[in-house]
Amino acid sequence: MTGTTVPLLADPSDLSALRAQGADPDELFDTFAAWAAAGGTVLYPAQEEALIELVSGANVILATPTGSGKSLVATGALYAALAGGRRSYYTAPIKALVSEKFFALCGVFGAAHVGMLTGDASVNHDAPIIACTAEVLANIALREGATADIGLAVMDEFHFYGDPDRGWAWQVPLLELPNAQFLLMSATLGDVSFLREDLTRRTGRSTALIANAERPVPLYYSYATTPMHETIQELLDTHRAPIYVIHFTQASALERAQALMSVNVSTKEEKASIAELIGGFRFSSAFGSTLSRLVRHGIGVHHAGMLPKYRRLVEQLAQAGLLKVICGTDTLGVGINVPIRTVVFSALSKYDGIRPRMLNAREFHQIAGRAGRAGYDTAGTVVVQAPEHEVENLKQFAKVADDPKKRRKLVRRKVPEGMVPWSESTMTRLVEATPEPLTSNMRVSTSMILDVVARPGDPFVAMRRLLTENHEPRKRQRQLIREAIGIARSLLQAGVVERLDDPQNVPADGRRYRLTVDLPPGFALNQPLSTFALAAVDVLDQASETYALDVVSVIEATLEDPRQILAAQLKMARGEAIAQMKAEGIEYDERMELLDDITYPKPLDELLGHVYQVYLQSNPWAADAQLSPKSVVREMWERAFTFREFVSVYGLTRSEGAVLRYLSDAFKALRSGVSAAARTEELTDIVEWLGELVRQVDSSLLDEWEQLTNPDQPLDAPVAVPTRPRPLTGNERAFTAMVRNALFRRVELFARRRAYDLAELDAGSGWTAERWEEVMHAYFDEHDDVGIGADARGPAMLIVDRQPGVWRVRQILDDPAGDHDWGFDVEVDLEASDEEGVAVIRLVDAGRQD
């Protein structure tokens, strides 16, 4: 956050001393500036101007370039608010940045003075400084209005105000917190004169706009018409690394990194330093082996689909100056921690989910602004790579430049179909353009109306003001009013909100409407289905053999959809359905019609839909949420998949990070969202297995969450990412579940007579497909099938002899005669399992037991 490691408030008692001194603006400014200087940071003029305005009580819109020290200004604002006895909220757009900001603030102000509120964790929620998402602050503003205990609101990355889906959360606090002081920060705000005037009118405070500050590290732009590998080589030769090459798909970023393996990026000595820093780091997934080769060559990859531990490794190597080139996506623009001297745009157009289009000025400047590090670089470089067809045309023209006849016959390559082309003039226009004006994206929801009805005062007056005094044009305001009336009528008809017509019942504050139900504790717009999950689990039959997995399905239905996983499951389900229909001789047109009914797995879809409708009658705030049955955790358990197997089967190598985040969210929800009375032994096994699976793939997601949710844990610094997670065998219950799953995977394959798949699993034990086929023929000569139901994977079918260093296990096959004299004998290597992060199994024998 700053150049200093010295805390402002080293001891909890320091806050009392600070407030006892009073909040004289000049003294506060001088004290803070001296603290920054003691840490090696001399304030820039723009920082001084912003801090003077803030300590004097004004609102500030800080629209200064990336690297100009906006975080330090925010720290000064929080310090001044603490001195004045005011509570502060610091918002960031994503949970990862909120967590990062939380730990940074703990280091400056002490853990006792800082709290955090997100959908995953609530830490020290009564602290005078709260780090949170914008949605959390918006929820408080709606529910408490002008009475909210918020003296200062620092809203980072404020350009999210213009986001079509989430922009409302950046606008609501401005509308509903007239007594707060605001610090709005972004490098790409554009013309905010309307916002400045609006803030002053609403809060009664003057609003200072600090913009057009000189960038501490100047940027130099160029347009490259050489092939990309030559462009990179030239930048390396002129000492302009680290280089971040921007792509607009994860696939193209990885392809570019692999293509650059032919470029001599690092010296032999640098490669040795990389290997030393990597040490015993575990590259545990399918993508890991690819990344290992790349980083050892001096090339990094960085995008949201990667595991967090891989992104952090790339950042760590880059910070050490060991990665010369990093190929990544435009997530770079959301404050990732990678030092960069040069940014290379591989394109100036991208597909935005709807259509291919040119980058706008805000997007271009947000990314370009990452080049050049204050305190390290004297200049930053931004290079725009020409389209491949332009590069090829110039190359061909150069060959015939001296021959007029050949020039006339030259056939130029055309723009590829579907591509939006760019040129040097496009780059010049974007460099010179200021970011587009922010566009309001206000919206109305059931949750919003319930929050306003729950606040003190007349909700009709409050809602009317919210709908008619927002930043939308009048036509859009009328549309919002109609939507709000529709929602309000449905709440009145459902009896959740009632009108107080009887003068005897009207409260002293003149309230004309009130809620007839209590909102759940901690009610928030982003967690509307957590209480539904508790109600739905109560409907399930604990005596059912599928009860534990049904609980998993309830929880999964309340989680955000993992788009990449569901798309892969749908693709596979439709592929299998087409193959089956072809085998049955169904004609093409009928196949296409039937294909519309094929979807990814949705366990309990009908039951949960019915329970949800009943739940909505008394819990209408859940109407804004989307109940979405799906089967990811359940499928992994039922099919005994490891993380690597699941990723491989569905082709999700480039989306490992998304898979792990979903599994991590599912584990957290299962552990904290299921009551003790609803937990069975099998459900506990599933939860323990899932938690250990996530931890062995990447422990950082759970380590930090568990630290945050443990009130006895010190919170001064984030959890360091270990090169190795804790020993897998240390959690015996989870490890036993993994061993059981690994053996049941073999049972399933045996039942389906998949000898080649079994041979892949046990090739290291010397078991070929032919050897497996011999055992299968012998078994199926005696029995018609193999049971794969709940009894088949139960503890009665598994005999475990736990010895130091090795477990000897027999998996018994559930034959229809009930003889139980066929099975597999394996040895489980405990040391190797700890090393690999999965159960390492050696098949000893398979067949009839003597």
Side-chain angles (χ1 to χ4, degrees):
M1 172 169 293
T2 68
T4 181
T5 56
V6 180
L8 267 166
L9 302 177
D11 188 89
S13 62
D14 290 349
L15 180 58
S16 299
L18 173 65
R19 289 178 175 170
Q21 293 171 6
D24 177 77
D26 292 336
E27 187 177 338
L28 284 174
F29 175 83
D30 291 341
T31 302
F32 184 80
W35 169 79
T41 302
V42 178
L43 299 179
Y44 296 126
Q47 290 175 311
E48 288 186 344
E49 183 182 354
L51 284 167
I52 290 170
E53 295 285 356
L54 286 163
V55 298
S56 301
N59 301 312
V60 168
I61 300 175
L62 189 58
T64 55
T66 302
S68 59
K70 289 186 286 292
S71 291
L72 184 60
V73 173
T75 304
L78 296 170
Y79 178 69
L82 275 176
R86 295 178 294 141
R87 199 167 191 216
S88 304
Y89 281 72
Y90 192 123
T91 74
I94 58 177
K95 292 176 185 176
L97 289 178
V98 171
S99 177
E100 180 182 306
K101 193 62 63 177
F102 166 75
F103 284 113
L105 292 172
C106 283
V108 174
F109 294 104
H113 303 131
V114 184
M116 182 173 73
L117 295 174
T118 69
D120 289 339
S122 172
V123 181
N124 198 18
H125 59 85
D126 292 325
I129 298 173
I130 298 292
C132 64
T133 58
E135 282 82 359
V136 167
L137 179 61
N139 187 71
I140 295 170
L142 288 168
R143 198 166 191 179
E144 301 181 23
T147 65
D149 181 18
I150 301 175
L152 170 70
V154 178
M155 305 190 76
D156 205 354
E157 306 289 352
F158 190 76
H159 55 273
F160 272 83
Y161 170 99
D163 186 271
D165 297 319
R166 303 178 60 204
W168 66 272
W170 273 260
Q171 183 173 165
V172 162
L174 309 182
L175 306 177
E176 295 296 301
L177 300 175
N179 299 321
Q181 179 187 21
F182 286 92
L183 169 58
L184 313 179
M185 305 190 300
S186 173
T188 56
L189 287 180
D191 181 7
V192 290
S193 53
F194 85 96
L195 194 60
R196 183 181 184 185
E197 295 168 3
D198 187 72
L199 258 184
T200 298
R201 178 177 62 82
R202 291 178 189 275
T203 65
R205 301 171 184 266
S206 62
T207 302
L209 173 61
I210 313 297
N212 302 318
E214 184 178 340
R215 197 177 192 277
V217 179
L219 291 182
Y220 296 95
Y221 298 85
S222 64
Y223 188 74
T225 55
T226 50
M228 177 66 88
H229 68 279
E230 293 182 16
T231 301
I232 298 296
Q233 188 66 66
E234 195 271 337
L235 290 169
L236 291 169
D237 292 343
T238 52
H239 308 291
R240 284 182 279 179
I243 304 162
Y244 198 106
V245 188
I246 295 293
H247 304 78
F248 296 100
T249 67
Q250 296 173 4
S252 59
L254 179 58
E255 287 168 7
R256 180 75 62 194
Q258 291 173 318
L260 288 172
M261 288 288 282
S262 61
V263 176
N264 190 19
V265 172
S266 300
T267 65
K268 187 180 294 185
E269 292 75 15
E270 288 169 336
K271 290 177 182 178
S273 298
I274 290 171
E276 183 180 354
L277 195 150
I278 289 174
F281 184 91
R282 180 193 289 169
F283 293 92
S284 56
S285 65
F287 175 72
S289 56
T290 300
L291 182 65
S292 178
R293 289 195 304 273
L294 290 169
V295 295
R296 292 176 194 277
H297 194 73
I299 300 169
V301 180
H302 198 289
H303 60 70
M306 293 168 58
L307 297 179
K309 69 176 182 180
Y310 291 158
R311 291 204 307 274
R312 293 187 187 188
L313 175 67
V314 169
E315 292 168 13
Q316 184 181 3
L317 289 168
Q319 287 159 356
L322 296 174
L323 291 186
K324 301 297 182 64
V325 182
I326 302 169
C327 298
T329 59
D330 55 339
T331 51
L332 171 76
V334 192
I336 65 167
N337 189 22
V338 175
I340 300 160
R341 181 168 293 166
T342 299
V343 166
V344 177
F345 283 84
S346 65
L348 289 181
S349 63
K350 71 173 186 177
Y351 181 73
D352 64 5
I354 301 174
R355 58 183 174 83
R357 63 167 177 82
M358 204 66 69
L359 295 182
N360 60 42
R362 172 168 290 106
E363 291 167 330
F364 178 80
H365 287 290
Q366 194 71 30
I367 297 168
R370 296 292 169 184
R373 301 164 295 169
Y376 294 91
D377 301 322
T378 56
T381 301
V382 179
V383 178
V384 174
Q385 181 70 22
E388 287 185 14
H389 70 275
E390 182 184 340
V391 173
E392 184 62 26
N393 286 337
L394 289 170
K395 183 178 178 181
Q396 295 301 324
F397 182 81
K399 291 180 180 180
V400 299
D402 297 330
D403 190 329
K405 290 183 179 180
K406 289 184 178 179
R407 285 205 309 270
R408 284 195 296 271
K409 293 181 180 179
L410 186 66
V411 179
R412 292 180 175 274
R413 286 182 58 180
K414 295 181 180 180
V415 177
E417 187 177 352
M419 173 186 172
V420 178
W422 64 94
S423 63
E424 186 169 7
S425 62
T426 310
M427 180 195 77
T428 302
R429 176 180 60 78
L430 287 170
V431 170
E432 295 174 351
T434 57
E436 297 78 8
L438 292 173
T439 303
S440 171
N441 285 286
M442 191 62 176
R443 71 181 188 193
V444 176
S445 65
T446 303
S447 300
M448 178 181 288
I449 291 177
L450 287 168
D451 264 331
V452 173
V453 173
R455 76 161 69 164
D458 189 336
F460 179 82
V461 173
M463 202 69 210
R464 182 176 59 192
R465 185 181 66 250
L466 185 65
L467 294 173
T468 59
E469 296 186 16
N470 56 53
H471 301 156
E472 294 288 336
R474 185 58 187 159
K475 182 178 179 181
R476 173 61 179 153
Q477 286 180 351
R478 285 195 290 267
Q479 182 182 344
L480 290 173
I481 291 169
R482 287 193 294 270
E483 292 174 9
I485 290 172
I487 295 171
R489 283 175 176 167
S490 67
L491 293 174
L492 285 164
Q493 290 169 0
V496 177
V497 174
E498 66 177 5
R499 183 183 175 97
L500 302 176
D501 291 321
D502 185 353
Q504 300 287 334
N505 292 330
V506 176
D509 61 11
R511 182 184 305 191
R512 296 162 57 191
Y513 298 88
R514 72 177 179 191
L515 289 178
T516 61
V517 295
D518 292 328
L519 295 180
F523 173 70
L525 292 173
N526 57 342
Q527 293 292 316
L529 290 180
S530 56
T531 51
F532 165 76
L534 292 172
V537 167
D538 285 342
V539 175
L540 302 177
D541 178 11
Q542 281 204 27
S544 168
E545 67 177 24
T546 63
Y547 170 77
L549 286 171
D550 289 344
V551 173
V552 171
S553 292
V554 169
I555 294 297
E556 289 203 77
T558 68
L559 299 177
E560 185 177 343
D561 283 349
R563 179 176 49 82
Q564 300 96 324
I565 302 175
L566 299 187
Q569 288 180 325
L570 178 61
K571 181 180 178 181
M572 180 172 288
R574 288 184 169 176
E576 292 172 350
I578 288 175
Q580 180 67 28
M581 287 187 278
K582 282 182 178 179
E584 295 172 1
I586 298 174
E587 294 297 323
Y588 176 81
D589 289 341
E590 188 179 354
R591 288 204 306 266
M592 292 303 100
E593 189 175 332
L594 292 171
L595 208 57
D596 290 337
D597 297 327
I598 304 298
T599 184
Y600 51 83
K602 295 183 178 182
L604 307 184
D605 190 10
E606 189 173 333
L607 172 66
L608 288 174
H610 172 71
V611 175
Y612 185 51
Q613 292 305 313
V614 173
Y615 179 79
L616 287 178
Q617 293 175 15
S618 55
N619 301 275
W621 50 81
D624 296 326
Q626 188 67 45
L627 187 70
S628 179
K630 47 192 166 288
S631 182
V632 179
V633 175
R634 181 169 186 151
E635 181 182 3
M636 289 184 72
W637 178 264
E638 287 182 319
R639 299 185 63 182
F641 278 141
T642 63
F643 180 85
R644 190 164 188 156
E645 288 169 341
F646 183 82
V647 166
S648 175
V649 164
Y650 284 111
L652 293 165
T653 301
R654 289 199 301 268
S655 301
E656 288 178 339
V659 176
L660 190 72
R661 279 192 295 275
Y662 177 83
L663 297 178
S664 174
D665 288 344
F667 169 70
K668 295 171 187 176
L670 281 165
R671 203 172 82 168
S672 61
V674 178
S675 67
R679 294 182 181 276
T680 62
E681 287 298 306
E682 184 182 1
L683 181 58
T684 301
D685 283 345
I686 293 173
V687 175
E688 287 294 315
W689 158 81
L690 179 59
E692 201 58 42
L693 180 146
V694 170
R695 192 183 303 281
Q696 292 300 319
V697 174
D698 188 339
S699 64
S700 61
L701 285 173
L702 293 186
D703 287 344
E704 186 172 289
W705 178 69
E706 289 178 348
Q707 181 194 28
L708 292 172
T709 54
N710 181 359
D712 299 323
Q713 193 82 8
L715 293 170
D716 293 293
V719 174
V721 182
T723 56
R724 298 281 180 181
R726 69 190 186 191
L728 173 62
T729 57
N731 185 340
E732 187 170 304
R733 185 165 196 161
F735 184 62
T736 300
M738 287 185 178
V739 171
R740 187 167 69 236
N741 281 357
L743 290 172
F744 188 71
R745 178 103 171 108
R746 288 164 171 81
V747 171
E748 272 199 313
L749 293 172
F750 191 90
R752 296 174 184 171
R753 308 190 189 200
R754 304 274 288 273
Y756 286 97
D757 291 331
L758 283 166
E760 281 191 12
L761 285 177
D762 296 309
S765 303
W767 279 74
T768 62
E770 291 75 19
R771 193 172 178 186
W772 271 113
E773 283 176 345
E774 288 178 14
V775 178
M776 286 178 183
H777 288 314
Y779 176 88
F780 287 109
D781 282 345
E782 290 188 24
H783 304 290
D784 292 334
D785 55 39
V786 178
I788 55 173
D791 291 338
R793 71 184 300 160
M797 294 293 176
L798 200 72
I799 301 172
V800 183
D801 178 19
R802 294 175 173 85
Q803 298 294 327
V806 63
W807 288 4
R808 293 179 174 83
V809 185
R810 180 167 181 79
Q811 172 69 60
I812 301 169
L813 295 180
D814 186 22
D815 62 88
D819 294 334
H820 296 166
D821 54 353
W822 285 78
F824 316 138
D825 292 300
V826 304
E827 290 182 347
V828 184
D829 188 327
L830 303 191
E831 184 177 348
S833 297
D834 286 336
E835 179 68 19
E836 297 294 326
V838 293
V840 175
I841 291 173
R842 185 176 72 85
L843 184 65
V844 177
D845 195 14
R848 185 197 297 276
Q849 186 178 26
D850 295 334

Coordinates of all heavy atoms in Angstrom, one line a residue, residues 58 79 89 128 264 275 292 345 355 378 473-474 503 514 602 604 633 641 656 667-668 680 691 698 724 757 839:
A58 N -13.6 17.7 2.7 CA -14.2 17.7 1.4 C -14.3 16.3 0.8 O -13.5 15.4 1.2 CB -13.4 18.6 0.4
Y79 N -6.9 7.6 8.0 CA -6.3 8.1 9.2 C -7.0 9.3 9.7 O -7.3 9.4 10.9 CB -4.8 8.4 8.8 CG -4.0 9.0 9.9 CD1 -3.6 8.2 11.0 CD2 -3.6 10.3 9.9 CE1 -2.8 8.7 12.1 CE2 -2.8 10.8 10.9 CZ -2.4 10.0 12.0 OH -1.7 10.6 13.0
Y89 N -15.5 2.9 5.4 CA -15.6 1.7 4.6 C -14.8 1.9 3.3 O -14.8 2.9 2.7 CB -17.1 1.5 4.2 CG -17.9 0.9 5.3 CD1 -18.3 1.7 6.4 CD2 -18.4 -0.4 5.2 CE1 -19.0 1.1 7.4 CE2 -19.1 -1.0 6.2 CZ -19.5 -0.2 7.3 OH -20.2 -0.8 8.4
P128 N -13.4 0.1 13.3 CA -13.7 1.5 12.8 C -13.3 1.6 11.3 O -13.7 2.5 10.6 CB -12.7 2.4 13.6 CG -11.7 1.5 14.1 CD -12.4 0.1 14.3
N264 N 15.1 -16.8 -27.3 CA 16.1 -17.0 -26.2 C 15.8 -15.9 -25.1 O 16.4 -14.8 -25.2 CB 17.5 -16.9 -26.7 CG 18.5 -17.3 -25.6 OD1 18.2 -18.0 -24.6 ND2 19.8 -16.9 -25.8
A275 N 15.0 -21.9 -11.3 CA 14.9 -23.3 -10.7 C 15.1 -23.3 -9.2 O 14.4 -24.0 -8.4 CB 15.9 -24.2 -11.4
S292 N 5.4 -25.2 -15.8 CA 6.7 -25.5 -15.3 C 7.7 -25.3 -16.4 O 8.8 -24.7 -16.2 CB 6.8 -26.9 -14.7 OG 8.1 -27.2 -14.2
F345 N 0.2 -4.9 -26.6 CA -1.2 -5.3 -27.0 C -1.1 -6.2 -28.2 O -0.6 -5.8 -29.3 CB -2.0 -4.1 -27.4 CG -2.5 -3.3 -26.3 CD1 -1.7 -2.3 -25.7 CD2 -3.8 -3.4 -25.8 CE1 -2.2 -1.5 -24.6 CE2 -4.3 -2.7 -24.7 CZ -3.4 -1.7 -24.1
R355 N -20.3 -9.7 -29.4 CA -19.8 -9.4 -30.8 C -18.3 -8.9 -30.7 O -17.9 -8.5 -29.6 CB -20.6 -8.2 -31.4 CG -20.6 -7.0 -30.6 CD -21.4 -5.8 -31.1 NE -21.4 -4.7 -30.3 CZ -20.5 -3.8 -30.2 NH1 -19.5 -3.8 -31.0 NH2 -20.6 -2.7 -29.3
T378 N 12.2 4.5 -15.2 CA 12.2 5.9 -15.5 C 11.2 6.1 -16.6 O 10.8 7.3 -16.9 CB 13.6 6.4 -15.9 OG1 14.0 5.5 -17.0 CG2 14.6 6.2 -14.8
P473 N -31.5 8.8 -17.0 CA -32.4 9.7 -17.7 C -33.9 9.5 -17.2 O -34.2 8.4 -16.8 CB -32.2 9.4 -19.1 CG -31.6 8.0 -19.2 CD -30.9 7.9 -17.9
R474 N -34.7 10.5 -17.5 CA -36.1 10.4 -17.0 C -36.9 9.2 -17.5 O -37.6 8.6 -16.8 CB -36.8 11.7 -17.3 CG -38.2 11.8 -16.8 CD -38.2 11.7 -15.2 NE -39.6 11.6 -14.7 CZ -39.9 11.2 -13.5 NH1 -38.9 10.7 -12.7 NH2 -41.1 11.1 -13.1
P503 N -54.7 4.9 11.7 CA -53.9 5.9 12.4 C -53.4 5.4 13.7 O -52.3 5.9 14.2 CB -54.9 7.1 12.6 CG -56.0 6.9 11.6 CD -56.1 5.4 11.4
R514 N -44.7 -1.5 6.4 CA -43.8 -2.2 7.3 C -43.7 -3.7 6.8 O -44.6 -4.2 6.2 CB -44.2 -2.2 8.7 CG -45.4 -3.0 9.1 CD -45.7 -2.9 10.6 NE -46.8 -3.8 10.9 CZ -47.4 -3.7 12.1 NH1 -47.0 -2.9 13.0 NH2 -48.5 -4.5 12.3
K602 N -28.8 -32.2 -13.5 CA -29.5 -31.4 -12.5 C -30.2 -32.2 -11.5 O -31.5 -32.3 -11.5 CB -30.5 -30.4 -13.3 CG -29.9 -29.5 -14.2 CD -31.0 -28.6 -14.9 CE -30.4 -27.5 -15.8 NZ -31.4 -26.6 -16.4
L604 N -32.3 -33.4 -8.4 CA -33.3 -32.9 -7.5 C -34.0 -31.7 -8.1 O -34.6 -30.8 -7.4 CB -32.8 -32.5 -6.1 CG -32.0 -33.6 -5.3 CD1 -31.7 -33.0 -3.9 CD2 -32.8 -34.9 -5.2
V633 N -19.7 -31.3 -7.6 CA -19.1 -32.1 -6.5 C -19.8 -33.5 -6.4 O -19.1 -34.5 -6.2 CB -19.4 -31.3 -5.1 CG1 -19.0 -32.2 -3.9 CG2 -18.7 -30.0 -5.2
F641 N -13.8 -39.2 -9.1 CA -12.8 -38.5 -9.8 C -11.8 -37.8 -8.9 O -12.2 -37.2 -7.8 CB -13.5 -37.4 -10.6 CG -14.1 -37.8 -11.9 CD1 -15.3 -37.3 -12.4 CD2 -13.4 -38.7 -12.7 CE1 -15.8 -37.7 -13.6 CE2 -13.9 -39.1 -14.0 CZ -15.1 -38.6 -14.4
E656 N -8.8 -24.4 -14.9 CA -8.5 -25.1 -13.6 C -8.9 -24.2 -12.4 O -9.5 -24.6 -11.5 CB -7.0 -25.5 -13.5 CG -6.6 -26.6 -14.3 CD -5.1 -26.9 -14.2 OE1 -4.4 -26.0 -13.7 OE2 -4.7 -28.0 -14.5
F667 N -17.2 -26.3 -0.8 CA -16.7 -26.8 0.5 C -17.1 -25.8 1.7 O -17.6 -26.2 2.7 CB -15.2 -27.0 0.5 CG -14.6 -27.2 1.8 CD1 -14.8 -28.4 2.5 CD2 -13.8 -26.2 2.4 CE1 -14.2 -28.6 3.8 CE2 -13.2 -26.4 3.7 CZ -13.5 -27.6 4.4
K668 N -16.9 -24.5 1.4 CA -17.2 -23.5 2.4 C -18.7 -23.6 2.8 O -19.1 -23.5 3.9 CB -16.8 -22.1 2.0 CG -15.3 -21.9 1.8 CD -15.0 -20.6 1.1 CE -13.6 -20.4 0.8 NZ -13.3 -19.2 0.0
T680 N -24.5 -36.3 8.6 CA -24.4 -37.8 8.8 C -22.9 -38.1 8.6 O -22.1 -37.3 8.2 CB -25.2 -38.6 7.8 OG1 -24.7 -38.2 6.5 CG2 -26.7 -38.2 7.9
G691 N -12.7 -30.9 1.1 CA -11.8 -29.9 1.7 C -10.3 -30.3 1.4 O -9.5 -29.4 1.0
D698 N -4.5 -26.7 -4.2 CA -4.0 -25.3 -4.0 C -4.5 -24.9 -2.6 O -5.7 -24.6 -2.4 CB -4.5 -24.3 -5.0 CG -3.9 -22.9 -4.9 OD1 -3.4 -22.6 -3.8 OD2 -3.9 -22.2 -5.9
R724 N 4.5 -26.6 -0.5 CA 3.8 -27.8 -0.3 C 2.7 -27.7 0.7 O 2.9 -27.1 1.8 CB 4.8 -28.9 0.3 CG 5.9 -29.2 -0.7 CD 5.5 -30.1 -1.8 NE 6.5 -30.5 -2.7 CZ 6.4 -31.2 -3.7 NH1 5.3 -31.8 -4.0 NH2 7.5 -31.5 -4.5
D757 N -9.0 -48.6 -19.9 CA -9.0 -47.5 -18.8 C -8.4 -48.0 -17.5 O -7.6 -47.2 -16.9 CB -10.4 -47.0 -18.6 CG -11.0 -46.2 -19.8 OD1 -10.2 -45.6 -20.5 OD2 -12.2 -46.3 -20.0
A839 N -3.9 -40.1 -3.5 CA -3.6 -41.4 -3.0 C -2.8 -42.2 -4.1 O -3.3 -42.4 -5.2 CB -4.9 -42.2 -2.7

